[in-house]
PDB file of all heavy atoms in Angstrom:
ATOM      1  N   PRO A 190     -22.174 -79.201 -20.127  1.00  0.00           N
ATOM      2  CA  PRO A 190     -23.276 -79.492 -19.203  1.00  0.00           C
ATOM      3  C   PRO A 190     -22.778 -79.617 -17.762  1.00  0.00           C
ATOM      4  O   PRO A 190     -21.637 -80.009 -17.522  1.00  0.00           O
ATOM      5  CB  PRO A 190     -23.818 -80.839 -19.688  1.00  0.00           C
ATOM      6  CG  PRO A 190     -23.048 -81.224 -20.886  1.00  0.00           C
ATOM      7  CD  PRO A 190     -21.966 -80.239 -21.113  1.00  0.00           C
ATOM      8  N   ASP A 191     -23.642 -79.293 -16.837  1.00  0.00           N
ATOM      9  CA  ASP A 191     -23.355 -79.432 -15.407  1.00  0.00           C
ATOM     10  C   ASP A 191     -23.381 -80.922 -15.063  1.00  0.00           C
ATOM     11  O   ASP A 191     -24.402 -81.580 -15.206  1.00  0.00           O
ATOM     12  CB  ASP A 191     -24.420 -78.676 -14.606  1.00  0.00           C
ATOM     13  CG  ASP A 191     -24.216 -78.722 -13.107  1.00  0.00           C
ATOM     14  OD1 ASP A 191     -23.431 -79.566 -12.621  1.00  0.00           O
ATOM     15  OD2 ASP A 191     -24.869 -77.923 -12.420  1.00  0.00           O
ATOM     16  N   VAL A 192     -22.245 -81.466 -14.619  1.00  0.00           N
ATOM     17  CA  VAL A 192     -22.159 -82.879 -14.243  1.00  0.00           C
ATOM     18  C   VAL A 192     -21.864 -83.030 -12.751  1.00  0.00           C
ATOM     19  O   VAL A 192     -21.431 -84.088 -12.297  1.00  0.00           O
ATOM     20  CB  VAL A 192     -21.112 -83.643 -15.098  1.00  0.00           C
ATOM     21  CG1 VAL A 192     -21.508 -83.627 -16.567  1.00  0.00           C
ATOM     22  CG2 VAL A 192     -19.714 -83.079 -14.902  1.00  0.00           C
ATOM     23  N   SER A 193     -22.131 -81.973 -11.971  1.00  0.00           N
ATOM     24  CA  SER A 193     -21.816 -82.002 -10.550  1.00  0.00           C
ATOM     25  C   SER A 193     -22.664 -83.005  -9.772  1.00  0.00           C
ATOM     26  O   SER A 193     -22.309 -83.377  -8.658  1.00  0.00           O
ATOM     27  CB  SER A 193     -21.955 -80.604  -9.942  1.00  0.00           C
ATOM     28  OG  SER A 193     -23.274 -80.120 -10.084  1.00  0.00           O
ATOM     29  N   ALA A 194     -23.771 -83.481 -10.346  1.00  0.00           N
ATOM     30  CA  ALA A 194     -24.604 -84.491  -9.698  1.00  0.00           C
ATOM     31  C   ALA A 194     -24.268 -85.895 -10.200  1.00  0.00           C
ATOM     32  O   ALA A 194     -25.006 -86.840  -9.950  1.00  0.00           O
ATOM     33  CB  ALA A 194     -26.082 -84.182  -9.935  1.00  0.00           C
ATOM     34  N   CYS A 195     -23.146 -86.034 -10.911  1.00  0.00           N
ATOM     35  CA  CYS A 195     -22.728 -87.314 -11.486  1.00  0.00           C
ATOM     36  C   CYS A 195     -21.479 -87.828 -10.773  1.00  0.00           C
ATOM     37  O   CYS A 195     -20.802 -87.067 -10.081  1.00  0.00           O
ATOM     38  CB  CYS A 195     -22.464 -87.158 -12.980  1.00  0.00           C
ATOM     39  SG  CYS A 195     -23.868 -86.448 -13.891  1.00  0.00           S
ATOM     40  N   THR A 196     -21.176 -89.107 -10.960  1.00  0.00           N
ATOM     41  CA  THR A 196     -20.039 -89.704 -10.255  1.00  0.00           C
ATOM     42  C   THR A 196     -18.856 -90.046 -11.148  1.00  0.00           C
ATOM     43  O   THR A 196     -17.749 -90.227 -10.647  1.00  0.00           O
ATOM     44  CB  THR A 196     -20.460 -91.000  -9.536  1.00  0.00           C
ATOM     45  OG1 THR A 196     -20.922 -91.947 -10.505  1.00  0.00           O
ATOM     46  CG2 THR A 196     -21.548 -90.725  -8.502  1.00  0.00           C
ATOM     47  N   SER A 197     -19.086 -90.149 -12.468  1.00  0.00           N
ATOM     48  CA  SER A 197     -18.027 -90.663 -13.343  1.00  0.00           C
ATOM     49  C   SER A 197     -18.128 -90.078 -14.740  1.00  0.00           C
ATOM     50  O   SER A 197     -19.181 -89.607 -15.166  1.00  0.00           O
ATOM     51  CB  SER A 197     -18.139 -92.189 -13.468  1.00  0.00           C
ATOM     52  OG  SER A 197     -18.089 -92.813 -12.211  1.00  0.00           O
ATOM     53  N   LEU A 198     -17.022 -90.186 -15.445  1.00  0.00           N
ATOM     54  CA  LEU A 198     -16.949 -89.842 -16.859  1.00  0.00           C
ATOM     55  C   LEU A 198     -16.940 -91.144 -17.648  1.00  0.00           C
ATOM     56  O   LEU A 198     -16.238 -92.092 -17.277  1.00  0.00           O
ATOM     57  CB  LEU A 198     -15.646 -89.075 -17.122  1.00  0.00           C
ATOM     58  CG  LEU A 198     -15.531 -88.276 -18.402  1.00  0.00           C
ATOM     59  CD1 LEU A 198     -16.548 -87.143 -18.422  1.00  0.00           C
ATOM     60  CD2 LEU A 198     -14.126 -87.700 -18.507  1.00  0.00           C
ATOM     61  N   ARG A 199     -17.745 -91.226 -18.712  1.00  0.00           N
ATOM     62  CA  ARG A 199     -17.781 -92.419 -19.557  1.00  0.00           C
ATOM     63  C   ARG A 199     -17.296 -92.042 -20.959  1.00  0.00           C
ATOM     64  O   ARG A 199     -17.825 -91.131 -21.588  1.00  0.00           O
ATOM     65  CB  ARG A 199     -19.182 -93.001 -19.640  1.00  0.00           C
ATOM     66  CG  ARG A 199     -19.245 -94.238 -20.564  1.00  0.00           C
ATOM     67  CD  ARG A 199     -20.609 -94.868 -20.599  1.00  0.00           C
ATOM     68  NE  ARG A 199     -21.605 -93.913 -21.061  1.00  0.00           N
ATOM     69  CZ  ARG A 199     -22.909 -94.030 -20.808  1.00  0.00           C
ATOM     70  NH1 ARG A 199     -23.377 -95.027 -20.097  1.00  0.00           N
ATOM     71  NH2 ARG A 199     -23.754 -93.119 -21.270  1.00  0.00           N
ATOM     72  N   LEU A 200     -16.272 -92.748 -21.420  1.00  0.00           N
ATOM     73  CA  LEU A 200     -15.740 -92.572 -22.764  1.00  0.00           C
ATOM     74  C   LEU A 200     -16.139 -93.780 -23.587  1.00  0.00           C
ATOM     75  O   LEU A 200     -15.952 -94.919 -23.150  1.00  0.00           O
ATOM     76  CB  LEU A 200     -14.211 -92.478 -22.731  1.00  0.00           C
ATOM     77  CG  LEU A 200     -13.579 -91.533 -21.717  1.00  0.00           C
ATOM     78  CD1 LEU A 200     -12.069 -91.703 -21.713  1.00  0.00           C
ATOM     79  CD2 LEU A 200     -13.952 -90.103 -22.021  1.00  0.00           C
ATOM     80  N   VAL A 244     -15.306 -96.311 -18.003  1.00  0.00           N
ATOM     81  CA  VAL A 244     -15.916 -95.456 -16.988  1.00  0.00           C
ATOM     82  C   VAL A 244     -14.833 -95.089 -15.972  1.00  0.00           C
ATOM     83  O   VAL A 244     -14.185 -95.967 -15.403  1.00  0.00           O
ATOM     84  CB  VAL A 244     -17.111 -96.158 -16.306  1.00  0.00           C
ATOM     85  CG1 VAL A 244     -17.672 -95.286 -15.189  1.00  0.00           C
ATOM     86  CG2 VAL A 244     -18.193 -96.475 -17.331  1.00  0.00           C
ATOM     87  N   ILE A 245     -14.646 -93.791 -15.776  1.00  0.00           N
ATOM     88  CA  ILE A 245     -13.613 -93.283 -14.872  1.00  0.00           C
ATOM     89  C   ILE A 245     -14.298 -92.453 -13.785  1.00  0.00           C
ATOM     90  O   ILE A 245     -14.815 -91.373 -14.060  1.00  0.00           O
ATOM     91  CB  ILE A 245     -12.589 -92.412 -15.632  1.00  0.00           C
ATOM     92  CG1 ILE A 245     -12.046 -93.152 -16.851  1.00  0.00           C
ATOM     93  CG2 ILE A 245     -11.455 -91.988 -14.701  1.00  0.00           C
ATOM     94  CD1 ILE A 245     -11.378 -92.255 -17.869  1.00  0.00           C
ATOM     95  N   PHE A 247     -14.940 -89.782 -10.964  1.00  0.00           N
ATOM     96  CA  PHE A 247     -14.323 -88.476 -10.761  1.00  0.00           C
ATOM     97  C   PHE A 247     -13.280 -88.526  -9.645  1.00  0.00           C
ATOM     98  O   PHE A 247     -12.345 -87.732  -9.643  1.00  0.00           O
ATOM     99  CB  PHE A 247     -15.378 -87.407 -10.486  1.00  0.00           C
ATOM    100  CG  PHE A 247     -16.195 -87.046 -11.710  1.00  0.00           C
ATOM    101  CD1 PHE A 247     -17.567 -86.998 -11.646  1.00  0.00           C
ATOM    102  CD2 PHE A 247     -15.587 -86.770 -12.925  1.00  0.00           C
ATOM    103  CE1 PHE A 247     -18.327 -86.668 -12.766  1.00  0.00           C
ATOM    104  CE2 PHE A 247     -16.324 -86.447 -14.058  1.00  0.00           C
ATOM    105  CZ  PHE A 247     -17.698 -86.400 -13.976  1.00  0.00           C
ATOM    106  N   LEU A 278     -16.916 -79.127 -12.172  1.00  0.00           N
ATOM    107  CA  LEU A 278     -17.925 -80.114 -12.584  1.00  0.00           C
ATOM    108  C   LEU A 278     -19.186 -79.436 -13.130  1.00  0.00           C
ATOM    109  O   LEU A 278     -19.893 -80.025 -13.940  1.00  0.00           O
ATOM    110  CB  LEU A 278     -18.270 -81.040 -11.419  1.00  0.00           C
ATOM    111  CG  LEU A 278     -17.129 -81.970 -10.993  1.00  0.00           C
ATOM    112  CD1 LEU A 278     -17.518 -82.743  -9.737  1.00  0.00           C
ATOM    113  CD2 LEU A 278     -16.726 -82.921 -12.103  1.00  0.00           C
ATOM    114  N   MET A 281     -16.876 -77.858 -17.279  1.00  0.00           N
ATOM    115  CA  MET A 281     -15.510 -78.357 -17.429  1.00  0.00           C
ATOM    116  C   MET A 281     -14.625 -77.430 -18.257  1.00  0.00           C
ATOM    117  O   MET A 281     -13.409 -77.509 -18.170  1.00  0.00           O
ATOM    118  CB  MET A 281     -15.530 -79.750 -18.048  1.00  0.00           C
ATOM    119  CG  MET A 281     -16.120 -80.783 -17.135  1.00  0.00           C
ATOM    120  SD  MET A 281     -16.116 -82.391 -17.937  1.00  0.00           S
ATOM    121  CE  MET A 281     -16.539 -83.433 -16.569  1.00  0.00           C
ATOM    122  N   ILE A 284     -11.875 -80.336 -22.359  1.00  0.00           N
ATOM    123  CA  ILE A 284     -11.609 -81.768 -22.166  1.00  0.00           C
ATOM    124  C   ILE A 284     -10.506 -82.140 -23.150  1.00  0.00           C
ATOM    125  O   ILE A 284     -10.546 -81.740 -24.321  1.00  0.00           O
ATOM    126  CB  ILE A 284     -12.848 -82.637 -22.451  1.00  0.00           C
ATOM    127  CG1 ILE A 284     -13.978 -82.293 -21.478  1.00  0.00           C
ATOM    128  CG2 ILE A 284     -12.509 -84.124 -22.348  1.00  0.00           C
ATOM    129  CD1 ILE A 284     -15.286 -83.000 -21.778  1.00  0.00           C
ATOM    130  N   SER A 301     -18.044 -90.988 -28.111  1.00  0.00           N
ATOM    131  CA  SER A 301     -18.770 -90.077 -27.234  1.00  0.00           C
ATOM    132  C   SER A 301     -18.081 -89.966 -25.887  1.00  0.00           C
ATOM    133  O   SER A 301     -17.294 -90.825 -25.494  1.00  0.00           O
ATOM    134  CB  SER A 301     -20.220 -90.535 -27.027  1.00  0.00           C
ATOM    135  OG  SER A 301     -20.247 -91.754 -26.307  1.00  0.00           O
ATOM    136  N   ILE A 302     -18.392 -88.880 -25.198  1.00  0.00           N
ATOM    137  CA  ILE A 302     -17.962 -88.642 -23.828  1.00  0.00           C
ATOM    138  C   ILE A 302     -19.203 -88.189 -23.075  1.00  0.00           C
ATOM    139  O   ILE A 302     -19.900 -87.271 -23.516  1.00  0.00           O
ATOM    140  CB  ILE A 302     -16.862 -87.561 -23.746  1.00  0.00           C
ATOM    141  CG1 ILE A 302     -15.633 -87.980 -24.548  1.00  0.00           C
ATOM    142  CG2 ILE A 302     -16.493 -87.303 -22.283  1.00  0.00           C
ATOM    143  CD1 ILE A 302     -14.553 -86.902 -24.637  1.00  0.00           C
ATOM    144  N   SER A 303     -19.475 -88.845 -21.953  1.00  0.00           N
ATOM    145  CA  SER A 303     -20.643 -88.469 -21.161  1.00  0.00           C
ATOM    146  C   SER A 303     -20.343 -88.642 -19.687  1.00  0.00           C
ATOM    147  O   SER A 303     -19.349 -89.269 -19.311  1.00  0.00           O
ATOM    148  CB  SER A 303     -21.873 -89.296 -21.564  1.00  0.00           C
ATOM    149  OG  SER A 303     -21.598 -90.674 -21.452  1.00  0.00           O
ATOM    150  N   ALA A 304     -21.209 -88.087 -18.869  1.00  0.00           N
ATOM    151  CA  ALA A 304     -21.112 -88.282 -17.426  1.00  0.00           C
ATOM    152  C   ALA A 304     -22.182 -89.286 -17.033  1.00  0.00           C
ATOM    153  O   ALA A 304     -23.292 -89.275 -17.572  1.00  0.00           O
ATOM    154  CB  ALA A 304     -21.313 -86.969 -16.696  1.00  0.00           C
ATOM    155  N   VAL A 305     -21.852 -90.180 -16.092  1.00  0.00           N
ATOM    156  CA  VAL A 305     -22.782 -91.210 -15.645  1.00  0.00           C
ATOM    157  C   VAL A 305     -22.834 -91.222 -14.123  1.00  0.00           C
ATOM    158  O   VAL A 305     -22.043 -90.557 -13.462  1.00  0.00           O
ATOM    159  CB  VAL A 305     -22.402 -92.605 -16.191  1.00  0.00           C
ATOM    160  CG1 VAL A 305     -22.537 -92.652 -17.708  1.00  0.00           C
ATOM    161  CG2 VAL A 305     -21.000 -92.998 -15.767  1.00  0.00           C
ATOM    162  N   GLY A 306     -23.762 -92.013 -13.589  1.00  0.00           N
ATOM    163  CA  GLY A 306     -23.957 -92.058 -12.153  1.00  0.00           C
ATOM    164  C   GLY A 306     -24.590 -90.775 -11.653  1.00  0.00           C
ATOM    165  O   GLY A 306     -24.378 -90.354 -10.521  1.00  0.00           O
ATOM    166  N   CYS A 307     -25.396 -90.162 -12.504  1.00  0.00           N
ATOM    167  CA  CYS A 307     -26.016 -88.888 -12.169  1.00  0.00           C
ATOM    168  C   CYS A 307     -27.266 -89.122 -11.325  1.00  0.00           C
ATOM    169  O   CYS A 307     -27.958 -90.117 -11.515  1.00  0.00           O
ATOM    170  CB  CYS A 307     -26.396 -88.130 -13.434  1.00  0.00           C
ATOM    171  SG  CYS A 307     -25.020 -87.949 -14.600  1.00  0.00           S
ATOM    172  N   SER A 308     -27.552 -88.206 -10.417  1.00  0.00           N
ATOM    173  CA  SER A 308     -28.760 -88.354  -9.616  1.00  0.00           C
ATOM    174  C   SER A 308     -29.962 -88.392 -10.547  1.00  0.00           C
ATOM    175  O   SER A 308     -30.000 -87.681 -11.542  1.00  0.00           O
ATOM    176  CB  SER A 308     -28.872 -87.227  -8.594  1.00  0.00           C
ATOM    177  OG  SER A 308     -28.874 -85.981  -9.239  1.00  0.00           O
ATOM    178  N   GLY A 310     -30.588 -91.213 -12.069  1.00  0.00           N
ATOM    179  CA  GLY A 310     -30.306 -92.385 -12.885  1.00  0.00           C
ATOM    180  C   GLY A 310     -30.059 -92.108 -14.351  1.00  0.00           C
ATOM    181  O   GLY A 310     -30.018 -93.018 -15.159  1.00  0.00           O
ATOM    182  N   THR A 311     -29.891 -90.861 -14.735  1.00  0.00           N
ATOM    183  CA  THR A 311     -29.664 -90.539 -16.143  1.00  0.00           C
ATOM    184  C   THR A 311     -28.179 -90.299 -16.390  1.00  0.00           C
ATOM    185  O   THR A 311     -27.389 -90.184 -15.471  1.00  0.00           O
ATOM    186  CB  THR A 311     -30.448 -89.278 -16.549  1.00  0.00           C
ATOM    187  OG1 THR A 311     -29.976 -88.184 -15.769  1.00  0.00           O
ATOM    188  CG2 THR A 311     -31.934 -89.475 -16.342  1.00  0.00           C
ATOM    189  N   SER A 312     -27.824 -90.219 -17.665  1.00  0.00           N
ATOM    190  CA  SER A 312     -26.467 -89.810 -18.019  1.00  0.00           C
ATOM    191  C   SER A 312     -26.556 -88.451 -18.689  1.00  0.00           C
ATOM    192  O   SER A 312     -27.606 -88.053 -19.169  1.00  0.00           O
ATOM    193  CB  SER A 312     -25.802 -90.832 -18.938  1.00  0.00           C
ATOM    194  OG  SER A 312     -26.453 -90.859 -20.181  1.00  0.00           O
ATOM    195  N   SER A 313     -25.447 -87.754 -18.698  1.00  0.00           N
ATOM    196  CA  SER A 313     -25.395 -86.425 -19.282  1.00  0.00           C
ATOM    197  C   SER A 313     -24.392 -86.424 -20.415  1.00  0.00           C
ATOM    198  O   SER A 313     -23.194 -86.523 -20.181  1.00  0.00           O
ATOM    199  CB  SER A 313     -24.985 -85.417 -18.199  1.00  0.00           C
ATOM    200  OG  SER A 313     -24.869 -84.135 -18.751  1.00  0.00           O
ATOM    201  N   PRO A 314     -24.860 -86.356 -21.684  1.00  0.00           N
ATOM    202  CA  PRO A 314     -23.904 -86.335 -22.791  1.00  0.00           C
ATOM    203  C   PRO A 314     -23.065 -85.072 -22.770  1.00  0.00           C
ATOM    204  O   PRO A 314     -23.590 -83.987 -22.581  1.00  0.00           O
ATOM    205  CB  PRO A 314     -24.775 -86.384 -24.049  1.00  0.00           C
ATOM    206  CG  PRO A 314     -26.181 -86.305 -23.615  1.00  0.00           C
ATOM    207  CD  PRO A 314     -26.227 -86.276 -22.120  1.00  0.00           C
ATOM    208  N   ILE A 315     -21.774 -85.230 -22.916  1.00  0.00           N
ATOM    209  CA  ILE A 315     -20.875 -84.081 -22.977  1.00  0.00           C
ATOM    210  C   ILE A 315     -20.462 -83.856 -24.420  1.00  0.00           C
ATOM    211  O   ILE A 315     -20.579 -82.768 -24.955  1.00  0.00           O
ATOM    212  CB  ILE A 315     -19.654 -84.298 -22.065  1.00  0.00           C
ATOM    213  CG1 ILE A 315     -20.124 -84.409 -20.601  1.00  0.00           C
ATOM    214  CG2 ILE A 315     -18.648 -83.169 -22.226  1.00  0.00           C
ATOM    215  CD1 ILE A 315     -19.054 -84.833 -19.631  1.00  0.00           C
ATOM    216  N   LEU A 316     -19.994 -84.895 -25.077  1.00  0.00           N
ATOM    217  CA  LEU A 316     -19.659 -84.859 -26.493  1.00  0.00           C
ATOM    218  C   LEU A 316     -20.199 -86.127 -27.127  1.00  0.00           C
ATOM    219  O   LEU A 316     -20.107 -87.201 -26.546  1.00  0.00           O
ATOM    220  CB  LEU A 316     -18.143 -84.828 -26.701  1.00  0.00           C
ATOM    221  CG  LEU A 316     -17.381 -83.668 -26.100  1.00  0.00           C
ATOM    222  CD1 LEU A 316     -15.891 -83.917 -26.232  1.00  0.00           C
ATOM    223  CD2 LEU A 316     -17.755 -82.385 -26.794  1.00  0.00           C
ATOM    224  N   ARG A 317     -20.722 -86.025 -28.326  1.00  0.00           N
ATOM    225  CA  ARG A 317     -21.241 -87.200 -28.998  1.00  0.00           C
ATOM    226  C   ARG A 317     -20.796 -87.167 -30.452  1.00  0.00           C
ATOM    227  O   ARG A 317     -20.867 -86.130 -31.085  1.00  0.00           O
ATOM    228  CB  ARG A 317     -22.763 -87.204 -28.914  1.00  0.00           C
ATOM    229  CG  ARG A 317     -23.375 -88.514 -29.312  1.00  0.00           C
ATOM    230  CD  ARG A 317     -24.856 -88.528 -29.068  1.00  0.00           C
ATOM    231  NE  ARG A 317     -25.083 -88.380 -27.645  1.00  0.00           N
ATOM    232  CZ  ARG A 317     -26.201 -87.939 -27.120  1.00  0.00           C
ATOM    233  NH1 ARG A 317     -27.202 -87.599 -27.862  1.00  0.00           N
ATOM    234  NH2 ARG A 317     -26.333 -87.822 -25.821  1.00  0.00           N
TER     235      ARG A 317
END
Side-chain angles (χ1 to χ4, degrees):
D191 181 344
V192 298
S193 60
C195 306
T196 61
S197 303
L198 197 64
R199 178 177 59 202
L200 312 173
V244 176
I245 308 162
F247 288 131
L278 292 174
M281 292 180 169
I284 298 174
S301 67
I302 300 174
S303 56
V305 295
C307 307
S308 58
T311 62
S312 67
S313 177
I315 297 171
L316 300 172
R317 193 174 297 158

